[in-house]
């Protein structure tokens, strides 16, 4: 290639990298303007303030918080030193702070490694602070890499240093005496006080927890030191972590995942298996925006197909709602939201007229009768990200609504029973210690009661508990079972009961290794086993949160996973374009 072309390409790459800085400044200005932090100088670097999405503001807040923490620690440790400096190499012997905030990763690794080694050699009293990306191979990491490649700003360091352990060894190998590297979830929960995290929750309406925790798991803050004084400025080696110290039990068998030949996408939908091989989908959002459309997935000999459903009434836009099948009746649609400030208050009963031409392979749209339920009694406050489970009490069926989140941002821990036949919110005695408040958990019918697993707590920490709602003569009783080894805490997952096994699939966790697959909890033996998913046949990143799941009742048990994906920070929104199936024969057979 001629020298002039090479120079032009290099200049183009340099300009692209510089553009990422301009975008970051705009985002920092937005976060500061919304009260996430105070910086009176940022406004001078932009023409006007542009408001970013709450997820972007949070992302730049935690970036600022991490760097601010490290800089303040350096200034505190060197307070009595006659001279201290932020690197320009003015005095090689003076305590020096070197700050690399998403900088070195844009360089080829051999050159960034050379800089790290050069600083360790020439600055005997120094602290290196670095903030960069990690975990390039999971679905979020793949979207992140593709974004920067489209910007002609490849993240070079990810290839050789994909996680915190690799980054730590990198600095130690290049001559730094000590090094501590934390992903941003560990930093957030270990070094940001709970009072400050509560302040963060109060700044803006927010409902993108999955994307928030995934963003934090894909960035790290690192401190490396030279000299005994600088070692005092290192990040704590083991801050309090929400990830349990006891490791889960992993199966050596990976469960096979296959795509289905039907195009269905959406986030925050609710599904219900209305009869064998028929799955109803309601609400959610897609590329076209939030929607009220209802669809039906039909399992045929050739595979699954999707057909439109004509409801008799408009149920409105709903995300993160529930649809609870009622045998012989239909289903109950409860809760959800149209936005984080607008919960849905209406309650509907659905009855089906799905027969005739549809069963014989015709294309006529099936009919769906939607009847708004005007219930008596004391109803639950509006909510979303809750659970609604079919239970039985004294021969009658009740929908048990538990937990969730409301428009004020509160995480709920209350429970309500709806008598479907009487359309009455009924008070039924529940004994025992209730599970702590949570949202984005799962609850399944089990022996007339239910079984609750996981979710996100009021403190914003994923949960790993399994709690049984058992029948009693008077009503119900909560009973927590001690599962060993404990499953990895998670939320935004789906779950199903098969005999005495609770099958939990997908979700979000703060665990540093991989993404959730399937965990099977044996309710009788109080044991658990984690299974990874073999997604080699899936040609796109499979994100399993904000999705639906149904377990087929065929001779070959499998899970049908529908929708899912998310807003991958500033890297773009990913939608799983097709449902996938998970083969459960090896696990349940």
């Amino acid at each position: 290639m001629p020298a002039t072309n090479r120079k032009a390409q290099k200049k183009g790459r340099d300009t692209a990298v510089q553009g990422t800085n301009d975008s970051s400044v705009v985002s920092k200005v937005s976060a500061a303007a919304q009260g996430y932090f105070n910086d009176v100088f940022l406004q001078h670097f932009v023409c006007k303030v542009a408001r970013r999405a709450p997820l972007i503001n949070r992302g730049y807040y935690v970036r600022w918080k991490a760097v601010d923490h490290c800089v303040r620690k350096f200034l505190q440790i060197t307070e009595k030193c006659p001279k201290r400096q932020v690197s320009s190499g003015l005095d090689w012997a003076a305590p020096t702070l070197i700050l690399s905030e998403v900088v070195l990763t844009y360089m080829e690794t051999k050159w960034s490694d050379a800089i790290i080694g050069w600083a360790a050699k020439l600055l005997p009293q120094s602290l290196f602070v670095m903030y960069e990306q990690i975990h390039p191979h999971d679905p979020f990491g793949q979207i992140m890499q593709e974004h920067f490649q489209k910007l002609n700003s490849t993240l070079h360091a990810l290839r050789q240093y994909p996680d915190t352990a690799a980054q730590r060894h990198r600095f130690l190998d290049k001559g730094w005496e000590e090094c501590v590297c934390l992903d941003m979830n560990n930093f957030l929960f270990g070094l940001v006080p709970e009072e400050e995290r509560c302040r963060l929750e109060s700044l803006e309406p927010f409902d993108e927890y999955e994307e928030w925790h995934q963003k934090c798991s894909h960035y790290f803050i690192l401190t490396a030191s030279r000299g005994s004084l600088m070692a005092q400025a290192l990040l704590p080696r083991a801050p309090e972590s929400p990830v349990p110290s006891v490791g889960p039990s992993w199966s050596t068998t990976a469960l096979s995942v296959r795509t289905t030949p039907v195009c269905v996408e959406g986030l925050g939908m609710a599904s219900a298996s209305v009869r064998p091989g028929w799955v109803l989908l309601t609400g959610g959002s897609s590329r076209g925006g939030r929607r009220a459309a209802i669809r039906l997935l039909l399992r045929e000999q050739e595979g699954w197909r999707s057909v439109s459903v004509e409801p008799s009434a408009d149920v409105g836009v709903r995300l993160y709602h529930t649809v609870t099948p009622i045998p012989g009746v239909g289903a109950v649609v409860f809760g959800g939201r149209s936005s984080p400030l607008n919960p849905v208050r209406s309650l509907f009963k659905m009855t089906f007229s799905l027969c005739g031409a549809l069963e014989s392979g015709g294309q006529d749209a099936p009919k769906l009768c939607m009847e708004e339920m005007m219930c008596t009694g004391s109803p639950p406050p509006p909510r979303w990200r809750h659970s609604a489970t079919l239970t039985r009490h004294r021969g009658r069926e009740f929908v048990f609504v538990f937990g969730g989140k409301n428009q004020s941002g509160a995480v709920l821990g209350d429970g309500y029973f709806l008598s479907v036949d009487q359309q009455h919110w009924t008070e039924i005695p529940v004994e025992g210690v209730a599970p702590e408040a949570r949202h984005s958990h799962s609850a399944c019918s089990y022996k007339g009661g239910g079984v609750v697993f996981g979710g996100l707590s009021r403190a914003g920490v994923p949960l790993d508990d399994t709690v049984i709602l058992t029948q009693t003569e008077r009503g119900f009783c909560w009973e927590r079972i001690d599962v060993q080894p404990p499953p990895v805490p998670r939320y935004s997952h789906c779950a199903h009961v098969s005999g005495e096994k609770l099958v939990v699939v997908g979700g979000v966790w703060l665990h540093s290794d991989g993404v959730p697959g399937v965990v099977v909890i044996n309710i009788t033996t109080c044991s658990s086993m984690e299974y990874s998913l073999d997604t080699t046949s899936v040609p796109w990143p499979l994100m399993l949160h904000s999705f639906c799941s149904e377990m087929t009742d065929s001779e070959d048990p499998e899970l049908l996973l529908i929708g899912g994906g998310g807003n991958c920070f500033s890297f773009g929104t990913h939608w799983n374009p097709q449902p996938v199936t998970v083969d459960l024969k090896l696990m349940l057979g």
Side-chain angles (χ1 to χ4, degrees):
M1 178 183 296
T4 53
N5 289 348
R6 286 197 298 270
K7 289 181 179 179
Q9 280 194 347
K10 182 180 184 303
K11 184 177 180 180
R13 287 193 297 268
D14 292 345
T15 301
V17 171
Q18 291 164 6
T20 66
N21 174 75
D22 298 338
S23 176
S24 294
V25 171
V26 173
S27 297
K28 288 180 179 179
V29 171
S30 171
Q34 295 303 313
Y36 285 85
F37 53 83
N38 183 37
D39 191 322
V40 298
F41 302 103
L42 278 172
Q43 59 182 318
H44 301 294
F45 292 86
V46 297
C47 298
K48 63 177 182 178
V49 176
R51 184 167 182 174
R52 298 293 207 204
L55 178 62
I56 305 297
N57 289 335
R58 282 195 176 209
Y60 278 90
Y61 161 82
V62 77
R63 172 173 172 171
W64 167 85
K65 189 69 176 178
V67 173
D68 181 73
H69 174 94
C70 297
V71 172
R72 289 182 182 274
K73 193 69 173 178
F74 170 81
L75 295 176
Q76 175 190 342
I77 294 301
T78 60
E79 184 176 7
K80 297 182 179 179
C81 295
K83 190 174 185 181
R84 49 188 172 165
Q85 61 192 5
V86 176
S87 62
S88 53
L90 298 178
D91 186 338
W92 301 110
T96 306
L97 173 65
I98 308 163
L99 176 59
S100 173
E101 189 179 336
V102 196
V103 175
L104 294 186
T105 190
Y106 294 121
M107 304 171 64
E108 292 184 22
T109 308
K110 63 178 180 180
W111 301 121
S112 58
D113 283 349
I115 291 176
I116 293 170
W118 168 85
K121 181 178 180 181
L122 295 180
L123 297 168
Q125 288 287 339
S126 55
L127 180 73
F128 204 120
V129 177
M130 186 162 76
Y131 177 87
E132 280 187 9
Q133 300 92 342
I134 46 173
H135 297 317
H137 302 305
D138 64 20
F140 188 99
Q142 293 176 49
I143 302 298
M144 179 175 68
Q145 283 198 95
E146 290 173 3
H147 167 77
F148 285 101
Q149 288 169 357
K150 290 176 182 177
L151 295 178
N152 199 23
S153 304
T154 302
L155 304 176
H156 295 283
L158 280 175
R159 300 170 184 171
Q160 193 167 341
Y161 306 109
D163 52 36
T164 55
Q167 285 286 358
R168 179 175 178 272
H169 288 297
R170 176 191 195 184
F171 275 77
L172 295 177
D173 292 344
K174 299 300 180 291
W176 291 86
E177 295 169 354
E178 297 187 62
C179 181
V180 178
C181 186
L182 306 174
D183 75 29
M184 299 313 295
N185 280 318
N186 280 326
F187 174 84
L188 183 68
F189 289 103
L191 295 175
V192 177
E194 185 174 356
E195 180 181 356
E196 172 66 3
R197 298 201 307 271
C198 290
R199 186 189 73 85
L200 184 67
E201 292 291 334
S202 69
L203 292 176
E204 292 183 281
F206 186 78
D207 198 34
E208 295 177 286
Y209 298 96
E210 296 87 352
E211 292 85 353
W212 165 233
H213 287 136
Q214 288 199 333
K215 187 272 176 190
C216 287
S217 71
H218 285 79
Y219 281 80
F220 68 86
I221 186 72
L222 174 149
T223 52
S225 67
R226 286 272 293 157
S228 58
L229 180 64
M230 292 298 99
Q232 300 176 44
L234 291 169
L235 290 162
R237 293 187 180 279
E240 183 179 351
S241 171
V243 179
S245 57
V246 179
S249 177
W250 282 92
S251 171
T252 57
T253 301
L255 304 179
S256 177
V257 180
R258 296 285 184 270
T259 59
T260 62
V262 59
C263 294
V264 176
E265 64 179 27
L267 307 178
M269 298 186 295
S271 66
S273 181
V274 297
R275 59 184 290 181
W278 293 31
V279 176
L280 196 70
L281 298 176
T282 65
S285 65
S286 64
R287 297 175 202 268
R290 300 180 181 93
R291 62 191 183 191
I294 299 177
R295 300 195 67 81
L296 186 68
L297 290 182
L298 302 176
R299 187 174 189 176
E300 301 173 336
Q301 290 185 347
E302 300 79 15
W304 292 89
R305 72 180 176 103
S306 172
V307 298
S308 298
V309 175
E310 295 181 0
S312 61
D314 183 9
V315 299
V317 172
R318 293 177 190 247
L319 290 86
Y320 301 107
H321 55 295
T322 52
V323 178
T324 308
I326 312 294
V329 175
V332 171
V333 182
F334 175 77
R337 66 162 177 86
S338 58
S339 75
L341 291 177
N342 293 292
V344 180
R345 301 176 184 273
S346 57
L347 175 68
F348 281 88
K349 179 170 68 175
M350 301 191 303
T351 55
F352 310 103
S353 176
L354 309 174
C355 55
L358 186 64
E359 288 184 317
S360 60
Q363 299 299 317
D364 293 348
K367 308 297 182 182
L368 182 61
C369 179
M370 306 293 297
E371 175 189 353
E372 186 169 0
M373 301 176 68
M374 309 306 293
C375 299
T376 56
S378 300
R383 65 193 63 205
W384 64 90
R385 292 180 177 266
H386 56 280
S387 60
T389 312
L390 185 64
T391 61
R392 294 187 63 83
H393 175 61
R394 295 180 178 175
R396 293 170 53 205
E397 293 175 330
F398 294 84
V399 174
F400 177 57
V401 175
F402 173 71
K405 184 174 180 273
N406 65 19
Q407 69 270 31
S408 67
V411 178
L412 308 174
D414 50 359
Y416 294 80
F417 291 91
L418 173 64
S419 170
V420 180
D421 58 348
Q422 295 183 345
Q423 297 196 21
H424 179 73
W425 291 102
T426 308
E427 293 187 11
I428 300 177
V430 180
E431 302 173 334
V433 179
E436 67 176 287
R438 67 193 66 204
H439 66 79
S440 307
H441 55 286
S442 62
C444 303
S445 298
Y446 176 67
K447 294 184 176 179
V451 53
V452 174
F453 173 77
L456 203 61
S457 72
R458 280 183 176 149
V461 176
L463 300 168
D464 66 349
D465 55 345
T466 305
V467 190
I468 310 295
L469 184 69
T470 58
Q471 290 179 317
T472 65
E473 289 186 3
R474 296 183 64 245
F476 295 91
C477 180
W478 287 113
E479 178 186 355
R480 176 170 178 162
I481 63 174
D482 183 21
V483 178
Q484 294 295 331
V488 180
R490 72 199 75 196
Y491 69 100
S492 195
H493 54 276
C494 293
H496 309 273
V497 167
S498 177
E500 290 299 308
K501 294 179 178 179
L502 180 67
V503 180
V504 180
V505 58
V508 172
W509 59 22
L510 307 188
H511 201 56
S512 60
D513 298 326
V515 294
V518 172
V519 61
V520 178
I521 299 172
N522 190 307
I523 300 173
T524 302
T525 63
C526 299
S527 59
S528 71
M529 180 68 72
E530 298 271 4
Y531 294 81
S532 59
L533 298 179
D534 178 5
T535 60
T536 53
S537 66
V538 180
W540 30 264
L542 179 61
M543 287 189 172
L544 292 182
H545 57 79
S546 302
F547 71 109
C548 304
S549 174
E550 295 296 332
M551 180 179 286
T552 64
D553 55 359
S554 62
E555 295 181 357
D556 297 327
E558 65 180 17
L559 294 174
L560 178 67
L561 313 183
I562 312 156
N567 182 1
C568 302
F569 192 51
S570 59
F571 314 136
T573 301
H574 173 73
W575 313 84
N576 294 333
Q578 298 170 270
V580 299
T581 59
V582 180
D583 191 343
L584 300 181
K585 288 194 296 294
L586 294 176
M587 189 175 63
L588 298 179

